[in-house]
Amino acid sequence: MSRHEEHAPRIVRTVAELKAVGRELLEAAAAEGREASLGLVPTMGALHEGHARLIAQARDENAVVVVTDFVNRLQFDDSADFERYPRDLEADAAIAAGAGADLIFAPEEREVYPDGRPRVLLSAGTLGERFEGASRPGHFDGMLTVVAKLLHYGMPDPATPAATTYRAYFGQKDAQQLAIVRRLVHDLDYPVTIRPVPIVRSAGGLALSSRNRFLTDEQSDAALVLSRSLFLMKQRADARLPLQPAEAVAMIESATGVELDYFEVVDPGTLEPLAFNCAETPFSGEALVLVAARVGGVRLIDNMPLTAG
Amino acid sequence: MSRHEEHAPRIVRTVAELKAVGRELLEAAAAEGREASLGLVPTMGALHEGHARLIAQARDENAVVVVTDFVNRLQFDDSADFERYPRDLEADAAIAAGAGADLIFAPEEREVYPDGRPRVLLSAGTLGERFEGASRPGHFDGMLTVVAKLLHYGMPDPATPAATTYRAYFGQKDAQQLAIVRRLVHDLDYPVTIRPVPIVRSAGGLALSSRNRFLTDEQSDAALVLSRSLFLMKQRADARLPLQPAEAVAMIESATGVELDYFEVVDPGTLEPLAFNCAETPFSGEALVLVAARVGGVRLIDNMPLTAG
């Protein structure tokens, strides 16, 4: 039997099954003397190598790994975009299996939203209004609402074996989403640890995204200016030099076929501008550089966490 | 040793203590062969007989009873009102003890809101904009946000003994609050059971409230028209007659010194108007009657759940 067949994850459709099977797996882990830990990896499906990295890290750190695979209508501001979002559970299951998932939770919409749109919602406030939120009103509120639900679905119930640890995995690729989810957990005291997972990049440096498939080879090459501009910031931060982001902006703006949306150096927790002048002050502390641009018709985002070396 | 001394609840100030002591008590219950159940009673202090009823019901139903005692700045639209809200932990502890609480969680503000106002908030949406919300913008969002946090604080962690049950107690007196908290738990899948507790009334029928202390004897008598109007609706609902709320409204409006704010018959889940004509259609199903009025300078609310008898 191949490794793949041995590890084919079980697919469950209801919250009740998820909780029952999750508990069973945690009990089995405890019975084997392992830590009864659960890693939740929320996704909207369309899994690629970036998701596989999330699942693999969850696998390394937990006895039980649950991948959720649900296209969340609430976070789409455009219903046509929601309808055409790729859905292929079989392909997702193969990738999840390869990366070591135990369980895939792939609910129907009526399981998650039995009464349609929830009446009580999360609000990301001003954190959700800038950057990606500026062009997608309501997106981060909808994302938070489903994440708040998924965190409760996956939460080990108190009837599981002693010493259960609960972790949830989010990619650094969606940096604003990660920052907002961290605030959700911090501000509303969800008993879960958020584990960020670094961006996976192509050999040339392009951040992996399901949208990259829409780029021509030429456009892929042009898009490399985004990660190059971020790595320039990282070099300067490592060397404690002034970041001088204007130079990175000029680099992107001079690239053919690349239309810059924003390039901002912000506080990683609040996503607000840094308190010091990036053009002149030697870099210290921590920051996050966010970039978004259109290449051809495709909107790409990328980012880089900075720490003074 | 008197019963009071034996049962004096322990007062804890931090979430970490709450979780540690809660777990200890649940483990002790399990060790004695009792169900390891926890009842959480969120309050803003200023406890009276109505709160005692909540605590007593939690005592009847759970091995461990936790009362939270925290004046939540977020739900006050008026900061002067927040500042003058009564705070008397000693008096609260005596009432909580009498009703059987094991533990009082009375945190400082910085324990609940370490970074000031949370960035991620709950939103009650349109449910929070009508009735009490109409005159108190943001009130229900602030209430939901602290309840969302308190529910997580009290949540038995998975390292507690098997078969832990988690319940939270809310008074029917604040009917809109109760409806919104039910939606919070339903819409965001909090693993807790909400237990509503009936209104406690004076011998004459006045719903108990910390505000009643501001009424003169004459005003207290005048205020009885509110509960009389509600009991009239209940009689008709029990008899499956048309409710004819206009008659109750006229009754209140003709009372001296009583200024009606609203009197509405609504769906108990959505707080929206009933689908049938209350004036003409014989009552069936379920409904909730909400009333608010000013008596002297004091704003009073009351309500009555209706079920066809």
Side-chain angles (χ1 to χ4, degrees):
Chain A
M1 198 183 270
S2 78
R3 185 182 176 285
H4 180 166
E5 280 166 334
E6 280 180 8
H7 291 269
R10 181 158 164 192
I11 297 173
V12 298
R13 296 293 194 169
T14 67
V15 177
E17 277 177 285
L18 169 63
K19 287 184 181 284
V21 179
R23 184 171 160 184
E24 222 171 75
L25 293 171
L26 286 170
E27 282 172 353
E32 291 170 14
R34 290 185 294 154
E35 186 200 44
S37 51
L38 189 142
L40 187 81
V41 186
T43 81
M44 296 215 300
L47 302 188
H48 53 65
E49 187 53 36
H51 299 101
R53 178 74 65 92
L54 288 169
I55 298 166
Q57 184 170 330
R59 174 77 288 158
D60 283 349
E61 297 179 351
N62 299 278
V64 177
V65 175
V66 176
V67 174
T68 76
D69 187 324
F70 177 66
V71 183
N72 173 39
R73 184 192 294 270
L74 243 57
Q75 71 193 71
F76 287 82
D77 47 311
D78 174 353
S79 67
D81 196 20
F82 169 72
E83 296 301 340
R84 73 171 165 256
Y85 198 86
R87 291 163 173 88
D88 185 346
L89 184 54
E90 206 175 316
D92 291 343
I95 290 174
D102 296 305
L103 200 55
I104 298 178
F105 174 56
E108 298 289 336
E109 192 165 15
R110 64 175 175 274
E111 178 74 6
V112 178
Y113 298 123
D115 311 308
R117 190 177 169 79
R119 286 171 176 270
V120 165
L121 292 163
L122 273 296
S123 165
T126 55
L127 271 181
E129 288 165 9
R130 60 193 77 164
F131 305 121
E132 291 308 290
S135 53
R136 303 179 69 185
H139 165 67
F140 286 111
D141 295 351
M143 177 280 293
L144 273 180
T145 301
V146 84
V147 168
K149 290 169 71 78
L150 293 172
L151 287 174
H152 280 151
Y153 293 158
M155 196 164 279
D157 87 89
T160 48
T164 303
T165 305
Y166 184 36
R167 302 180 182 98
Y169 293 77
F170 288 86
Q172 177 67 42
K173 170 73 170 14
D174 292 304
Q176 189 175 8
Q177 170 176 285
L178 173 61
I180 292 173
V181 168
R182 282 180 184 279
R183 292 307 309 196
L184 166 74
V185 168
H186 177 82
D187 288 350
L188 302 183
D189 304 278
Y190 272 76
V192 62
T193 303
I194 299 298
R195 301 282 290 148
V197 180
I199 294 175
V200 180
R201 297 181 181 281
S202 71
L206 186 63
L208 291 203
S209 161
S210 48
R211 295 180 177 189
N212 294 356
R213 72 183 75 167
F214 304 122
L215 299 171
T216 64
D217 287 352
E218 201 181 345
Q219 288 166 340
S220 284
D221 284 349
L224 295 181
V225 74
L226 301 179
S227 53
R228 271 206 310 276
S229 70
L230 295 173
F231 279 106
L232 175 65
M233 296 296 96
K234 180 166 163 42
Q235 278 177 347
R236 290 182 180 162
D238 287 347
R240 297 173 176 270
L241 295 170
L243 296 176
Q244 298 182 316
E247 210 176 312
V249 169
M251 209 167 109
I252 299 170
E253 286 181 336
S254 69
T256 309
V258 178
E259 192 190 329
L260 183 62
D261 180 355
Y262 58 78
F263 185 100
E264 298 283 350
V265 185
V266 299
D267 179 289
T270 64
L271 304 186
E272 278 160 20
L274 292 185
F276 61 87
N277 181 337
C278 292
E280 294 177 6
T281 311
F283 183 76
S284 66
E286 297 201 330
L288 177 67
V289 194
L290 299 170
V291 63
R294 281 189 172 273
V295 180
V298 186
R299 194 159 182 284
L300 299 175
I301 60 172
D302 199 351
N303 70 85
M304 182 72 66
L306 302 181
T307 312
Chain B
M1 196 182 269
S2 78
R3 185 183 177 283
H4 182 166
E5 280 166 333
E6 279 179 7
H7 290 267
R10 182 157 164 195
I11 296 173
V12 297
R13 296 293 194 168
T14 67
V15 176
E17 278 177 286
L18 169 62
K19 286 182 180 285
V21 179
R23 184 171 161 184
E24 222 171 76
L25 293 170
L26 286 170
E27 281 173 352
E32 291 169 13
R34 290 185 294 153
E35 185 200 44
S37 51
L38 189 142
L40 187 81
V41 187
T43 81
M44 296 215 301
L47 301 188
H48 55 64
E49 188 52 37
H51 299 101
R53 179 74 64 93
L54 288 170
I55 299 166
Q57 185 171 330
R59 176 75 288 158
D60 283 348
E61 298 180 350
N62 298 279
V64 178
V65 175
V66 177
V67 174
T68 75
D69 187 323
F70 176 66
V71 184
N72 174 39
R73 184 191 295 270
L74 244 56
Q75 72 193 68
F76 287 82
D77 48 309
D78 174 354
S79 67
D81 196 20
F82 168 73
E83 296 302 339
R84 71 170 166 257
Y85 199 87
R87 291 162 174 86
D88 185 345
L89 184 55
E90 207 175 315
D92 291 344
I95 290 175
D102 296 305
L103 201 55
I104 297 178
F105 174 58
E108 297 289 336
E109 192 165 14
R110 64 175 174 275
E111 178 73 6
V112 177
Y113 298 123
D115 312 308
R117 190 178 169 79
R119 286 170 177 271
V120 165
L121 291 164
L122 272 296
S123 165
T126 55
L127 270 180
E129 287 165 9
R130 60 193 76 162
F131 305 121
E132 291 309 290
S135 53
R136 303 179 68 185
H139 165 68
F140 286 111
D141 295 351
M143 177 280 293
L144 273 181
T145 300
V146 84
V147 168
K149 288 169 71 78
L150 294 171
L151 287 174
H152 280 152
Y153 293 159
M155 196 165 279
D157 87 272
T160 48
T164 302
T165 304
Y166 185 35
R167 301 180 183 100
Y169 294 77
F170 289 85
Q172 178 66 41
K173 169 73 169 18
D174 292 304
Q176 188 175 8
Q177 170 175 284
L178 173 61
I180 292 173
V181 168
R182 282 180 185 279
R183 292 306 309 195
L184 167 72
V185 168
H186 177 81
D187 288 350
L188 301 183
D189 303 279
Y190 272 76
V192 63
T193 302
I194 298 298
R195 300 283 291 148
V197 180
I199 293 175
V200 179
R201 298 181 180 281
S202 72
L206 186 63
L208 291 203
S209 162
S210 48
R211 295 181 179 187
N212 294 355
R213 71 184 75 168
F214 303 122
L215 299 171
T216 64
D217 287 351
E218 199 181 346
Q219 288 166 341
S220 284
D221 285 348
L224 296 180
V225 72
L226 301 179
S227 53
R228 271 207 311 275
S229 70
L230 295 173
F231 278 107
L232 174 63
M233 296 296 97
K234 179 165 163 40
Q235 279 177 345
R236 290 184 180 161
D238 287 347
R240 296 172 177 269
L241 294 170
L243 296 176
Q244 298 180 317
E247 209 176 311
V249 169
M251 209 165 112
I252 299 169
E253 286 181 336
S254 70
T256 309
V258 179
E259 192 189 330
L260 183 61
D261 179 354
Y262 58 77
F263 184 99
E264 297 282 349
V265 186
V266 299
D267 178 290
T270 64
L271 304 185
E272 278 159 19
L274 291 186
F276 61 88
N277 182 337
C278 293
E280 294 177 4
T281 310
F283 183 76
S284 66
E286 297 201 329
L288 178 67
V289 194
L290 299 170
V291 63
R294 281 190 173 273
V295 180
V298 185
R299 194 159 183 286
L300 300 175
I301 59 171
D302 199 351
N303 70 87
M304 182 71 66
L306 302 180
T307 313

